[in-house]
Amino acid sequence: MTNKKNFKYLVFLALFLVILGIPSYLWNKKSVKTMAGRYNSPMSPIIMIPGSSASANRFDALVKTVNSQYGERHSLLKLTVHTNDTITYSGSIRTGDTRPFIVVGFQNNKDGYDNIKKQARWFNIAFDQLKQRYRFNNFNAFGHSNGGLIWTYYLEHYFNDDTIDINQMLTVGSPYNFEEKNSNKRTQMLNDFIKYQDKLPSDLTYYSIAGTKLYTDDGIVPLGSVDAGKYIFEGVINHYTLITLTGDKAEHSDMISNSQFITLFHQYMIGNKNGQQQSTNKNSR
Amino acid sequence: MDKIFTNRFERSLAKVTLKLQRLLFYKIAQKTLFMIFPFVLIGSFLRIIQVVILSKDGLIGTLLPSFEDNWFVNSIIGVTNNLSNLTLGFVSVLAAFGAAKYTAKHYKRDDQLAGLTSMISLLVISYIYSKTQPLIFHTNLLGMRGVLFAILLGMFVGLVFKTTSPKIPEIHKKNFTSNILQRTFISLRPIIIVLAIAALISALVNVAYYSHLPDEFMDSLATNYQSKNSGIELLKIIGITLYTIIMSFMGWSGPYSPLDMEKSDPNILDNLYYALTNHTAWGAPHEFTSNSLYHAFATFGGAGSTLALIIAIFIVSRDRDFQTVAKWTMIPSIFNINSGIMTGIPVMFNIVFLIPFILAPLVSLLIAAGAIYLHLMPPTVYPIPNGTPGPLIAFIGTNGSIQALFFSLVDIAISVYIYIPFVKLAEKLKKIDNLALEEGDNND
């Protein structure tokens, strides 16, 4: 029925499949063997913790701004850990999104060292669940205000860097010495942080942003308190950088809508390389 | 005419098609698709190089040694990216040109200027207002995904030319070049109107956001409602499959990308972990996932199982155009890049092929689901390299299950069988109404 010429193409098609099939089958067989040791999804989330008295919705506007300003499409997953250790989820991670934002908020979001300890424990529960669910092996950390303290406490007491890597941490207005301006008067928390500093992951790169208005504080947190972070991190982790942000919207709570901050946030948390990768993936067909 | 068609179904489908072919949109869409075909074809070959050979996750790339810091390879990657972005990644701009040109020509307006205006207006709409980079665009509006929008935009521009500028007088037609200035002023009004509208849209509407909205919605549906009940999971996968297929028929791509398998879905990771600890894909906890059904069995050659269409053309077609297109698009289709055949036949917007385009993947998917359910074959659980040929995905993704290979072959045979009558019908219709030789195109 069909002419010989077309038949030739069918044979070619079949041969082509066989020729491609054999090496890729052998390769996959080998790769499955190596994967049996360890396998991780390509996801590298940006995990964010809001400050005291803020909920998991704290960063909605930030994510929206980043997405529209950079033409990227990061999804947003929000977890709230309740006081009875249960977790509620809202939002979702789009399939194939390798750089999603994950916000972990707490039902008890009060200030104070005791609460921070509790929140770090709750965060650990959430983090384990996330790790189990999405199987990522590296992530970036972001904390606003007390969120940075929770991160630090978590890294010193719960984090195990044998199985998972923290690439970069960025915090905004994290008061390592609470409301204390004078770094000679160390609070209990700061002393504890310094005491356990050797538990911090040594390959961590950390950027701490402090906002100032009238040279001394951001309206709530004194510059000295943010700067006290150096006693914890300096010399222990890979890089510790303190950035001082001034000008419009440099107040404690406004800072995450400051355009300078958004540039820094994008640079350190997302990076340009990944943005490019995303856009080439988008029109794949 | 009735004699040509063998049964009532064929006859009624033919009637509907012929009626549709008389619509202006249909004519313009088809001509535009033919126009962009060469660029799509070149782009698909480049994408093979990009995705399959040069990418680390690509089928051939994984076999090659790593060449991350090799400047020679890096410059090849750069050049391929460049060319592929400006062919396959730029076809919507070309489509906007074509659609406006053909519409304006249909109404006897200045077609060149209409085309150029439409091209610019698409770029204006997809422009990103960035402080750091002077000239960047929402790339997904410019590639294959944006073709439908581009055609509609082009037609709109053509219609603006029709309503706001006079017909080109006969004198100008004969001696067109000497009257360039006059010709410009005839079309100045529609050009300004179109550009103003485009600028307004680009400033007020977040185009990228709305173009993602339907996908975003389907995505959250897919990821948020994960049921323990495998029946509901199956229904969900069928739903998203249908959505993806219908969207690609209209030049969109749905949540399931034909090139990348899903790697971060919790169910799929669960399956993979099970398989890695138990050293077998048999008995994986989630039988029905997008990988085990859609990616493994419903994308032979891309959305709509278009590799089956190519095989069907080789088997039954006597039409020379079909055969040429099939030959040229065969290799990209092996790697699941189907943009070529979508625009070359064209399959896109072609109502004759809508039925097999949906039916072939769906039937394959259901057969696969049945086989997995009856434990005749294991589900596809392992990640596979990008661009693995459709018929081999299940075989490789189960780490070499002969049963999976068998069902892939059964499915592809059935898909070909489903496509065959429609290829025959399309050929008959082509004879009746040969679009390529349409009026209006002859005086180019």
Side-chain angles (χ1 to χ4, degrees):
Chain A
M1 54 184 240
T2 162
N3 56 35
K4 267 185 194 156
K5 219 171 155 205
N6 283 343
F7 186 69
K8 200 173 71 188
Y9 286 103
L10 284 175
V11 172
F12 171 77
L13 198 80
L15 268 178
F16 202 80
L17 284 180
V18 174
I19 290 167
L20 276 177
I22 293 168
S24 47
Y25 165 67
L26 293 174
W27 173 85
N28 222 53
K29 197 131 207 167
K30 214 177 84 197
S31 106
V32 165
K33 235 179 219 165
T34 50
M35 259 194 312
R38 55 186 174 83
Y39 174 79
N40 288 293
S41 81
M43 185 192 283
S44 171
I46 296 134
I47 302 177
M48 320 211 271
I49 307 179
S52 60
S53 48
S55 74
N57 301 326
R58 181 67 175 96
F59 301 123
D60 288 8
L62 172 65
V63 172
K64 219 173 154 184
T65 313
V66 168
N67 277 347
S68 66
Q69 190 168 322
Y70 291 92
E72 288 166 5
R73 212 153 67 96
H74 304 279
S75 26
L76 175 60
L77 176 72
K78 294 178 277 192
L79 281 68
T80 303
V81 191
H82 297 267
T83 43
N84 60 0
D85 294 359
T86 56
I87 299 175
T88 48
Y89 285 76
S90 81
S92 66
I93 295 179
R94 179 167 46 83
T95 47
D97 186 358
T98 53
R99 303 308 300 276
F101 290 112
I102 302 175
V103 183
V104 180
F106 309 98
Q107 188 191 10
N108 168 5
N109 52 14
K110 293 194 194 81
D111 197 6
Y113 188 30
D114 287 338
N115 285 317
I116 285 165
K117 284 183 190 165
K118 281 185 203 158
Q119 285 152 4
R121 192 184 71 80
W122 285 319
F123 178 76
N124 185 40
I125 299 170
F127 190 82
D128 281 347
Q129 216 173 84
L130 286 171
K131 218 171 83 177
Q132 181 68 25
R133 203 174 148 93
Y134 296 105
R135 313 268 183 184
F136 51 89
N137 71 344
N138 66 87
F139 66 100
N140 282 349
F142 174 72
H144 182 222
S145 182
N146 278 9
L149 306 180
I150 299 170
W151 269 119
T152 310
Y153 196 89
Y154 168 78
L155 290 176
E156 288 187 351
H157 294 89
Y158 297 99
F159 183 68
N160 170 11
D161 61 353
D162 293 342
T163 55
I164 193 156
D165 285 327
I166 172 166
N167 303 324
Q168 283 173 118
M169 179 156 91
L170 177 73
T171 63
V172 180
S174 289
Y176 286 102
N177 209 10
F178 281 128
E179 276 86 44
E180 191 53 61
K181 277 176 219 147
N182 187 341
S183 57
N184 290 326
K185 291 182 192 159
R186 292 186 181 172
T187 56
Q188 176 65 38
M189 181 178 72
L190 181 57
N191 279 326
D192 285 358
F193 278 161
I194 296 170
K195 193 168 149 196
Y196 296 106
Q197 63 180 183
D198 52 318
K199 299 263 172 62
L200 289 165
S202 55
D203 53 353
L204 176 66
T205 299
Y206 172 34
Y207 303 94
S208 174
I209 301 179
T212 60
K213 207 174 68 176
L214 300 173
Y215 315 119
T216 53
D217 61 42
D218 62 9
I220 295 175
V221 172
L223 181 58
S225 175
V226 179
D227 185 43
K230 68 186 173 198
Y231 301 115
I232 310 166
F233 294 98
E234 230 179 84
V236 180
I237 60 166
N238 207 358
H239 297 288
Y240 165 75
T241 311
L242 179 72
I243 300 161
T244 316
L245 211 70
T246 61
D248 193 29
K249 286 190 181 165
E251 287 94 351
H252 189 70
S253 310
D254 279 356
M255 220 132 50
I256 56 170
S257 56
N258 178 312
S259 68
Q260 284 289 308
F261 162 73
I262 288 167
T263 313
L264 290 170
F265 177 82
H266 190 264
Q267 183 180 344
Y268 294 129
M269 289 287 96
I270 299 157
N272 293 324
K273 205 174 143 208
N274 264 287
Q276 261 171 14
Q277 264 175 1
Q278 272 216 333
S279 63
T280 47
N281 283 342
K282 258 185 262 170
N283 50 13
S284 57
R285 203 141 196 291
Chain B
M1 159 182 150
D2 281 0
K3 274 180 243 157
I4 316 171
F5 303 109
T6 42
N7 58 43
R8 262 179 62 197
F9 171 72
E10 254 194 16
R11 212 169 301 139
S12 47
L13 184 61
K15 248 184 210 162
V16 172
T17 314
L18 287 175
K19 222 177 240 169
L20 276 174
Q21 278 175 352
R22 260 175 243 128
L23 290 177
L24 183 63
F25 170 77
Y26 206 88
K27 283 184 193 168
I28 303 238
Q30 297 234 307
K31 277 192 210 166
T32 309
L33 291 178
F34 282 133
M35 193 198 81
I36 63 175
F37 172 62
F39 300 98
V40 172
L41 187 64
I42 293 167
S44 350
F45 276 95
L46 287 166
R47 272 206 77 78
I48 300 178
I49 301 175
Q50 225 183 348
V51 176
V52 182
I53 302 173
L54 293 177
S55 148
K56 261 189 297 178
D57 307 321
L59 178 68
I60 297 169
T62 48
L63 301 171
L64 299 173
S66 166
F67 34 62
E68 238 161 51
D69 290 322
N70 186 323
W71 72 267
F72 181 69
V73 178
N74 278 336
S75 40
I76 294 181
I77 293 177
V79 171
T80 346
N81 282 348
N82 178 359
L83 283 176
S84 137
N85 284 345
L86 285 170
T87 49
L88 196 56
F90 208 62
V91 284
S92 282
V93 182
L94 307 182
F97 175 87
K101 179 187 147 89
Y102 293 129
T103 315
K105 190 165 225 167
H106 179 84
Y107 293 116
K108 303 208 165 46
R109 298 303 192 279
D110 192 327
D111 59 329
Q112 301 289 358
L113 281 176
L116 291 174
T117 312
S118 160
M119 226 169 128
I120 294 170
S121 65
L122 179 66
L123 288 172
V124 168
I125 290 173
S126 45
Y127 186 85
I128 298 175
Y129 292 90
S130 159
K131 284 170 193 152
T132 47
Q133 284 156 297
L135 201 63
I136 45 170
F137 302 98
H138 290 294
T139 40
N140 54 321
L141 280 177
L142 308 181
M144 282 300 281
R145 270 188 71 110
V147 165
L148 176 63
F149 177 71
I151 291 175
L152 291 173
L153 177 76
M155 288 190 64
F156 170 75
V157 173
L159 288 174
V160 172
F161 268 71
K162 181 203 164 199
T163 44
T164 59
S165 70
K167 273 190 189 171
I168 302 168
E170 283 301 313
I171 355 151
H172 292 158
K173 268 200 169 163
K174 278 178 203 143
N175 204 354
F176 221 46
T177 40
S178 63
N179 287 303
I180 284 182
L181 199 63
Q182 216 170 343
R183 168 182 159 189
T184 311
F185 280 106
I186 286 177
S187 305
L188 199 56
R189 195 152 46 147
I191 294 176
I192 292 171
I193 292 172
V194 168
L195 290 184
I197 294 172
L200 213 64
I201 294 175
S202 78
L204 299 180
V205 186
N206 186 344
V207 186
Y209 174 73
Y210 285 105
S211 75
H212 287 309
L213 203 60
D215 281 5
E216 213 77 62
F217 176 73
M218 292 303 286
D219 261 343
S220 60
L221 218 84
T223 40
N224 279 352
Y225 298 94
Q226 277 183 336
S227 169
K228 293 263 184 298
N229 184 333
S230 56
I232 292 173
E233 277 290 293
L234 179 63
L235 279 179
K236 193 185 88 184
I237 291 164
I238 291 176
I240 298 175
T241 300
L242 275 176
Y243 172 82
T244 304
I245 292 171
I246 292 169
M247 280 321 214
S248 7
F249 188 75
M250 299 195 298
W252 244 306
S253 56
Y256 291 162
S257 151
L259 279 178
D260 311 308
M261 296 259 292
E262 191 44 58
K263 286 170 187 148
S264 50
D265 179 349
N267 280 356
I268 285 164
L269 286 169
D270 247 18
N271 273 357
L272 177 60
Y273 265 79
Y274 170 89
L276 290 178
T277 37
N278 295 299
H279 302 288
T280 174
W282 290 97
H286 307 278
E287 291 176 328
F288 303 139
T289 66
S290 59
N291 279 3
S292 75
L293 296 177
Y294 179 77
H295 290 289
F297 292 97
T299 50
F300 300 129
S305 292
T306 40
L307 190 63
L309 169 61
I310 292 176
I311 298 174
I313 289 173
F314 284 147
I315 295 175
V316 297
S317 173
R318 286 171 202 288
D319 184 283
R320 198 172 281 171
D321 292 340
F322 279 7
Q323 286 180 11
T324 317
V325 172
K327 275 174 215 164
W328 275 99
T329 54
M330 178 176 77
I331 291 180
S333 290
I334 288 175
F335 299 106
N336 294 349
I337 298 166
N338 70 352
S339 317
I341 190 135
M342 293 297 284
T343 51
I345 294 291
V347 179
M348 222 185 256
F349 310 123
N350 191 339
I351 206 78
V352 180
F353 287 118
L354 178 62
I355 295 168
F357 196 77
I358 295 173
L359 206 60
L362 206 61
V363 169
S364 306
L365 192 150
L366 287 173
I367 291 172
I372 294 173
Y373 183 74
L374 297 172
H375 298 286
L376 298 174
M377 71 167 169
T380 306
V381 293
Y382 298 105
I384 51 147
N386 287 343
T388 301
L392 295 176
I393 289 176
F395 178 65
I396 291 171
T398 49
N399 204 9
S401 151
I402 297 295
Q403 294 95 321
L405 183 64
F406 172 75
F407 278 103
S408 298
L409 294 176
V410 169
D411 270 353
I412 198 151
I414 290 170
S415 299
V416 172
Y417 189 72
I418 290 173
Y419 264 109
I420 283 177
F422 293 93
V423 171
K424 286 183 180 161
L425 178 63
E427 259 182 32
K428 288 175 193 164
L429 285 168
K430 202 159 165 269
K431 265 180 208 156
I432 297 171
D433 188 343
N434 205 331
L435 272 160
L437 294 172
E438 262 262 303
E439 25 47 71
D441 231 10
N442 308 337
N443 48 8
D444 261 332

